[in-house]
Amino acid sequence: TIMQAQLHCFYLLTLYLTTGYGQEGMFSGPLKPMKFSVFEGQEPSQIIFQFKANPPAVTFKLTGETDGIFHIQPDGLLYHNGTLDRETRAVHKLEVSALDAHGATVDGPVHITVEVKDINDNRPMFLQSKYEGSVRQNSRPGKPFMYVNATDLDDPATPNGQLIYQIVLQLPKINNVMYFQINNKTGGISLTVEGSRELDPVKNPSYNLVVSVKDMGGQIENSFSDSTSVDIMVKENIWKAPETVEIVENSTDPHPIKITQVRWNEPGAQYSLADKEKLPRFPFSIDQEGDIYVTHPLDREEKDSYVFYAVAKDEHGKPLSYPLQIDVKVKDINDNPPMCPSPVTVFEVQENEKIGSSIGTLVARDMDEENTMNSVLVYRIVDQSPKSPTEGLFLVERYTGMFQLAKQSLKKQDAPQYHLTVEVSDKDFKTLCHVQINVVDINDQIPIFEKSDYGNLTLAEDIAVGSIILTIQATDADEPFTGSSKILYRITEGDSEGRLGIDTDPQTNAGYVMVKKPLDFETAAVHNIVFHAENPEPLVPGVKCNSSSSAKFTLIVTDVNEAPQFSQQVFQAKVSEDVAIGTKVGNVTAKDPEGLDISYSLRGDTRGWLKINHVTGEIFSAARLDREAASLYRVQVLATEVGGSSLSSTANFHLTLTDVNDNPPRLVKEYTGLFFCYPLKAPGSLIFEATDDDQQSFRGPQFTFSLGSESLQNDWEVSKINGTHARLSTKHTDFEEEIYNIPILINDGGRPPLEGAVSLPVTFCTCVEGRCFRPAGQQAGIPTVGMAVGVLLTTILVIGIILAVVFIRMKNKGKDNVESAQASEVKPLRK
Ligand SMILES: *[C@@H]1O[C@H](CO)[C@@H](O)[C@H](O)[C@H]1NC(C)=O
Ligand SMILES: *[C@@H]1O[C@H](CO)[C@@H](O)[C@H](O)[C@H]1NC(C)=O
Ligand SMILES: *[C@@H]1O[C@H](CO)[C@@H](O)[C@H](O)[C@H]1NC(C)=O
Ligand SMILES: *[C@@H]1O[C@H](CO)[C@@H](O)[C@H](O)[C@H]1NC(C)=O
Ligand SMILES: *[C@@H]1O[C@H](CO)[C@@H](O)[C@H](O)[C@H]1NC(C)=O
Ligand SMILES: *[C@@H]1O[C@H](CO)[C@@H](O)[C@H](O)[C@H]1NC(C)=O
Ligand SMILES: *[C@@H]1O[C@H](CO)[C@@H](O)[C@H](O)[C@H]1NC(C)=O
Ligand SMILES: *[C@@H]1O[C@H](CO)[C@@H](O)[C@H](O)[C@H]1NC(C)=O
């Protein structure tokens, strides 16, 4: 055993050295409460700490949760010689005491805590090797319907114990679409959007999933995993719209009455109804069982159907699924009696009407549903008054309400009027309607005019429309106020244009002849009119109108002087702008309705371009016309009748001027600032633009450009860029510092072509910062004569002074005052 102990000591010593234990403070120290962390599953033995003994302490004792693994050597070396397992004990609470030579405690016990740190030494495991669950078709996507659960003994506060769930496989897989999803943290399995839409127990009642779980937060490296099988049954969705509900209207049962129900797939849903029709009063309700009620009696005649929606929500107010549409149809009951069309319905029968002829139809109405027994009406005559000469004179067709003469023709002497009481009945109700039958005379009398000729009437043609010009009268001996005696007047001759009309007074049968359209002396000065009188009812056979039913009338229209009339309000003409003065450019015509001569004149000829022939209306140019000044020239023409009241009227004359090429091209602006820096380092160029005042084609001008002088061709070149722009380039660099005026010809290529000769001033000047430098009051580079003379004089003066100095120096050589003389002469030079 001594050998063993020594061996052990040696082993410990090795560890001690290699791990660095024993350094004061970190790995060794006096006895005091301490805390250590040690990874589980490490090498079987490790030194933890070296306690130092203070006399009289000579040895140490370890107690507490040592689990036979923690030990202390008499010299105070705390170590463990067994593998730690966090899952067995995560924290070891130890006590260390210091003992003296007699074994009595002299220090402590102090608390020593050893925390065992986790390593990933446990694999996750599903609690079940197989799970079973079920889901309703159309369940809300993302809402878990079951959970799988795995455990891992490792510390859940470290990745070692963090589990991630995953669906590895779904069987069957349809179109490669996942119908299920799993919450990777909770293991909750729910439907995907596609699953919610497409799962159908009829097509596929069960699915199998393989679900895996991984620790290490799902990392692939160093993680353990497990898997399980999940069987899922798909159950039918019971959240379905119920059948259309039929509610009988006007129910007397106590309300509310349950009419239908909806059910969510699981209990606990909160139900509500949504009224999309925005009714003023919504007569339905739902309770928390999903039962739907009608809250009061309905009236089909007010509204015969309802559509609303049932909604199921979860406890947070989130819809569990789509709303269900509830259709309600209100069933008719016969709760409306038939209604008469009016309090009294009046028919007229002529005296000589034959048996069986139709008199008229009574159409009663019923508010109940059409085409059902509730609105089928039956007609029956219940009473006739008077009953002379006999009862039952009339018949009514049972279902149509058509009345007929039943027994004999009627005679006014018997009774001029009958009152019938007619019973109109539907299934349950009876209504009495009243029919009055008037017996009217036969139309055996023709209308006869009071006179056959209404003579002559003279009217001015400008009489107002609507004026009554004549009253005519015919009489009819038939029964008054019937269709046999009422008179309608017609004009059969003399008014083919319909200028007159006749209204009949219903009381007196007088006819009022009225002007309906303006009269016109010029087209119809005399109207020989024939009136005809007739009845709305036909005459009985054998009776015919004769000439007494017609009358004559002569309407004489007199002339009123009217202004001349132009044949059109706007006259248009078009000429080329270069027409010669005096060319006819247009003409206007007016006519006087009375046939008077007309004199034409112009108004608004502000430019004085036109003149008009007073007699013919022809218009001529009176000056040079210019399209560029006015392309559309508008004037007024006046037509005045000669004689009469000199009435006049006006019309417009619009003269469009078409372009001729009468403007040569020109530069678009005055180019003053074109320059090149002098001296020219390399050939350069400048761009300029031309324009033309003539009308241009849609392509714009197409000018050609050329140098205006052949002698310049060695120095300059003009090249076209496009129709309006050209480039002027130098051909060399050898130019003087001065202004060159370059003559340029611009041709417009028109018909005939016009050429503009322009001059482009180009300056060669000294440049300062890229800008032409021109001293004030002087053009750059061109010395004036005065300047030249000045320069010359200054040069001569300087030369003169220098010569004088030289001369004086030579003369005074050897003299003492050379220095002062030189100074006095040089000084002015420096000024
Ligand atoms: C650990 O050491 C103690 C005493 O030093 C001894 O009794 C025990 O058997 C040792 N255990 C192992 C597994 O070496
Ligand atoms: C999973 O199982 C553990 C241990 O049984 C339990 O504490 C936990 O609540 C379960 N989780 C779920 C989501 O059921
Ligand atoms: C777990 O699910 C969440 C949310 O779907 C996702 O953001 C995360 O990346 C997933 N984690 C892993 C490891 O798949
Ligand atoms: C309901 O029926 C009763 C007879 O049953 C009727 O008097 C009432 O007018 C009806 N109400 C409506 C609104 O139709
Ligand atoms: C009516 O005019 C016609 C011709 O214009 C003339 O012959 C006749 O005498 C006139 N009659 C009366 C009553 O003026
Ligand atoms: C037209 O007939 C009526 C009787 O219908 C008769 O009184 C009148 O004299 C007749 N007139 C002419 C012109 O024949
Ligand atoms: C102009 O006069 C000519 C005859 O001179 C005629 O044919 C033409 O219709 C007149 N045009 C107008 C607008 O009146
Ligand atoms: C002609 O060329 C000039 C200069 O390049 C340019 O500014 C202009 O837009 C051009 N015009 C047309 C019609 O292309």
Side-chain angles (χ1 to χ4, degrees):
T1 53
I2 290 169
M3 268 289 281
Q4 271 182 347
Q6 277 176 343
L7 263 178
H8 196 94
C9 273
F10 174 75
Y11 179 54
L12 282 177
L13 192 66
T14 319
L15 270 178
Y16 180 91
L17 291 173
T18 52
T19 56
Y21 274 84
Q23 282 171 344
E24 189 69 33
M26 282 274 272
F27 305 110
S28 66
L31 185 63
K32 60 177 182 191
M34 296 186 83
K35 200 172 176 179
F36 302 98
S37 298
V38 181
F39 272 108
E40 63 171 332
Q42 301 294 66
E43 306 93 282
S45 37
Q46 254 186 329
I47 291 167
I48 295 166
F49 200 76
Q50 170 81 63
F51 291 105
K52 296 261 171 78
N54 286 330
V58 293
T59 182
F60 293 89
K61 189 179 79 172
L62 179 69
T63 53
E65 298 166 343
T66 62
D67 293 355
I69 297 171
F70 290 95
H71 305 280
I72 196 160
Q73 289 201 344
D75 65 352
L77 191 70
L78 178 66
Y79 68 99
H80 65 89
N81 62 353
T83 305
L84 296 178
D85 181 19
R86 192 200 65 87
E87 286 73 36
T88 311
R89 193 188 291 280
V91 176
H92 292 262
K93 293 206 158 79
L94 308 173
E95 289 94 36
V96 175
S97 313
L99 307 179
D100 64 11
H102 309 293
T105 304
V106 292
D107 199 356
V110 298
H111 290 287
I112 306 296
T113 309
V114 178
E115 208 178 74
V116 183
K117 293 211 312 196
D118 192 40
I119 62 167
N120 190 19
D121 55 352
N122 289 283
R123 42 183 264 136
M125 282 192 0
F126 278 105
L127 298 183
Q128 294 168 231
S129 62
K130 198 169 179 59
Y131 287 84
E132 279 174 6
S134 67
V135 63
R136 293 259 180 208
Q137 164 181 31
N138 305 124
S139 290
R140 205 175 75 209
K143 187 168 187 290
F145 56 86
M146 67 179 294
Y147 287 88
V148 293
N149 196 354
T151 54
D152 187 306
L153 293 176
D154 288 320
D155 187 357
T158 67
N160 306 334
Q162 274 170 18
L163 305 184
I164 291 288
Y165 297 93
Q166 207 181 354
I167 295 176
V168 182
L169 193 63
Q170 167 195 311
L171 289 173
K173 202 166 191 182
I174 294 156
N175 298 332
N176 220 15
V177 176
M178 290 298 283
Y179 290 157
F180 302 93
Q181 57 188 346
I182 193 164
N183 182 314
N184 61 23
K185 293 233 160 58
T186 65
I189 299 176
S190 60
L191 294 186
T192 60
V193 175
E194 295 78 13
S196 168
R197 203 168 45 214
E198 289 169 25
L199 278 189
D200 184 350
V202 178
K203 288 189 195 153
N204 221 328
S206 71
Y207 286 82
N208 179 261
L209 305 180
V210 175
V211 175
S212 78
V213 62
K214 268 193 189 138
D215 61 12
M216 296 302 285
Q219 285 171 34
I220 295 168
E221 276 178 34
N222 307 326
S223 63
F224 295 113
S225 65
D226 189 19
S227 59
T228 189
S229 163
V230 181
D231 287 331
I232 298 169
M233 296 286 300
V234 180
K235 292 204 265 177
E236 189 198 8
N237 182 11
I238 57 171
W239 181 246
K240 272 190 184 154
E243 303 269 294
T244 298
V245 182
E246 292 201 334
I247 302 177
V248 173
E249 64 169 327
N250 204 359
S251 166
T252 51
D253 295 342
H255 283 74
I257 301 170
K258 179 178 168 184
I259 53 170
T260 186
Q261 63 179 41
V262 293
R263 290 288 182 269
W264 179 242
N265 292 310
E266 284 105 42
Q270 294 174 357
Y271 299 101
S272 57
L273 295 182
D275 163 30
K276 296 256 172 82
E277 296 179 302
K278 303 245 165 17
L279 299 173
R281 192 185 67 161
F282 183 65
F284 302 98
S285 66
I286 192 167
D287 66 13
Q288 288 319 305
E289 303 301 314
D291 292 340
I292 298 176
Y293 301 87
V294 59
T295 53
H296 34 257
L298 305 180
D299 180 10
R300 191 203 67 87
E301 284 72 39
E302 186 191 313
K303 185 166 168 54
D304 63 1
S305 68
Y306 293 84
V307 175
F308 54 92
Y309 296 88
V311 183
K313 292 181 175 168
D314 65 12
E315 61 278 17
H316 309 298
K318 257 178 115 177
L320 288 162
S321 186
Y322 51 87
L324 298 182
Q325 179 170 325
I326 315 290
D327 289 300
V328 172
K329 207 168 162 287
V330 186
K331 273 183 76 179
D332 190 42
I333 60 166
N334 189 24
D335 56 354
N336 288 282
M339 294 192 303
C340 303
S342 61
V344 180
T345 306
V346 180
F347 300 140
E348 222 172 58
V349 186
Q350 279 195 12
E351 275 190 332
N352 59 344
E353 289 270 14
K354 294 209 184 72
I355 295 177
S357 57
S358 163
I359 297 169
T361 304
L362 177 69
V363 183
R365 291 197 307 135
D366 191 301
M367 295 282 284
D368 287 315
E369 194 170 353
E370 280 175 49
N371 305 320
T372 67
M373 282 310 289
N374 296 339
S375 61
V376 168
L377 302 182
V378 173
Y379 300 84
R380 190 165 70 91
I381 297 172
V382 294
D383 187 37
Q384 170 196 321
S385 150
K387 294 186 171 49
S388 58
T390 171
E391 265 194 287
L393 285 172
F394 306 96
L395 267 181
V396 65
E397 228 276 321
R398 215 170 129 72
Y399 290 107
T400 62
M402 188 186 79
F403 285 76
Q404 287 171 296
L405 271 183
K407 291 199 165 147
Q408 60 190 67
S409 296
L410 304 180
K411 287 213 176 59
K412 269 182 89 171
Q413 301 97 289
D414 298 336
Q417 205 170 60
Y418 291 91
H419 291 277
L420 304 181
T421 306
V422 180
E423 180 195 274
V424 185
S425 51
D426 64 14
K427 215 168 81 207
D428 305 298
F429 298 94
K430 287 181 178 17
T431 303
L432 295 180
C433 295
H434 298 282
V435 172
Q436 173 184 325
I437 295 173
N438 295 333
V439 183
V440 301
D441 221 348
I442 54 170
N443 192 8
D444 54 2
Q445 300 294 319
I446 60 171
I448 293 183
F449 268 102
E450 56 178 354
K451 52 185 172 185
S452 62
D453 189 350
Y454 283 88
N456 297 353
L457 179 64
T458 302
L459 289 175
E461 61 180 334
D462 62 353
I463 185 168
V465 167
S467 309
I468 291 170
I469 58 170
L470 179 70
T471 305
I472 55 179
Q473 181 79 59
T475 52
D476 190 299
D478 285 318
E479 186 184 349
F481 310 117
T482 69
S484 303
S485 61
K486 185 176 180 187
I487 296 176
L488 301 178
Y489 296 99
R490 266 193 312 136
I491 296 174
T492 54
E493 283 173 42
D495 184 28
S496 56
E497 313 233 305
R499 294 179 198 266
L500 302 178
I502 308 171
D503 289 345
T504 304
D505 182 332
Q507 298 297 320
T508 63
N509 268 339
Y512 300 104
V513 182
M514 196 186 299
V515 179
K516 286 251 168 87
K517 289 185 193 166
L519 302 179
D520 184 26
F521 168 80
E522 284 74 24
T523 54
V526 178
H527 295 265
N528 288 307
I529 286 171
V530 175
F531 300 120
H532 186 75
E534 58 200 14
N535 301 125
E537 285 286 325
L539 290 167
V540 294
V543 178
K544 286 217 164 69
C545 279
N546 62 19
S547 59
S548 300
S549 299
S550 295
K552 297 196 296 178
F553 170 59
T554 305
L555 176 63
I556 298 163
V557 181
T558 58
D559 191 26
V560 174
N561 189 15
E562 290 160 296
Q565 284 167 2
F566 279 101
S567 58
Q568 54 202 82
Q569 261 314 294
V570 180
F571 294 86
Q572 286 179 322
K574 196 184 229 181
V575 293
S576 173
E577 61 173 325
D578 66 346
V579 292
I581 294 174
T583 306
K584 178 178 169 184
V585 297
N587 57 346
V588 297
T589 44
K591 279 216 168 73
D592 183 63
E594 288 80 41
L596 294 178
D597 287 341
I598 288 174
S599 167
Y600 298 97
S601 54
L602 287 178
R603 270 204 199 151
D605 180 18
T606 49
R607 294 181 188 270
W609 281 357
L610 303 175
K611 62 179 184 228
I612 193 164
N613 183 313
H614 299 299
V615 179
T616 63
E618 289 168 299
I619 299 174
F620 301 91
S621 69
R624 225 186 69 77
L625 308 181
D626 184 11
R627 187 201 67 86
E628 285 72 33
S631 59
L632 177 64
Y633 191 53
R634 300 165 206 245
V635 296
Q636 283 191 319
V637 282
L638 195 68
T640 311
E641 58 184 25
V642 181
S645 329
S646 298
L647 293 177
S648 65
S649 53
T650 57
N652 296 299
F653 179 70
H654 291 176
L655 182 63
T656 305
L657 298 180
T658 56
D659 193 41
V660 295
N661 192 19
D662 53 0
N663 290 283
R666 57 180 173 84
L667 289 175
V668 78
K669 61 176 183 188
E670 205 184 327
Y671 284 95
T672 53
L674 298 179
F675 71 94
F676 288 111
C677 290
Y678 176 84
L680 198 58
K681 295 199 179 74
S685 66
L686 300 162
I687 291 174
F688 61 95
E689 184 185 355
T691 186
D692 191 318
D693 297 318
D694 285 316
Q695 191 173 15
Q696 300 299 337
S697 75
F698 68 95
R699 289 170 57 219
Q702 294 301 323
F703 301 131
T704 53
F705 303 87
S706 58
L707 271 180
S709 161
E710 291 205 0
S711 62
L712 292 173
Q713 271 175 3
N714 291 332
D715 303 331
W716 299 94
E717 185 175 11
V718 173
S719 53
K720 175 173 174 167
I721 295 175
N722 54 31
T724 52
H725 290 68
R727 177 175 284 122
L728 175 68
S729 316
T730 63
K731 282 190 148 178
H732 53 80
T733 57
D734 193 13
F735 290 88
E736 301 297 320
E737 186 173 10
E738 61 177 57
I739 297 179
Y740 292 81
N741 281 300
I742 317 296
I744 289 173
L745 297 178
I746 311 173
N747 194 307
D748 64 9
R751 259 185 251 160
L754 283 183
E755 195 161 67
V758 301
S759 172
L760 206 57
V762 180
T763 306
F764 285 82
C765 55
T766 310
C767 287
V768 177
E769 288 171 353
R771 275 195 242 149
C772 194
F773 174 70
R774 297 175 212 212
Q778 162 193 350
Q779 284 176 326
I782 305 164
T784 60
V785 172
M787 240 175 90
V789 170
V791 168
L792 196 64
L793 285 178
T794 311
T795 312
I796 292 168
L797 186 67
V798 169
I799 293 170
I801 289 170
I802 291 170
L803 286 176
V805 169
V806 170
F807 178 69
I808 289 166
R809 279 186 76 178
M810 280 163 60
K811 209 178 168 186
N812 292 345
K813 220 170 186 179
K815 286 193 180 171
D816 288 329
N817 61 346
V818 167
E819 299 298 324
S820 62
Q822 194 177 10
S824 65
E825 291 300 324
V826 168
K827 261 178 195 163
L829 188 74
R830 285 201 189 128
K831 269 183 188 166

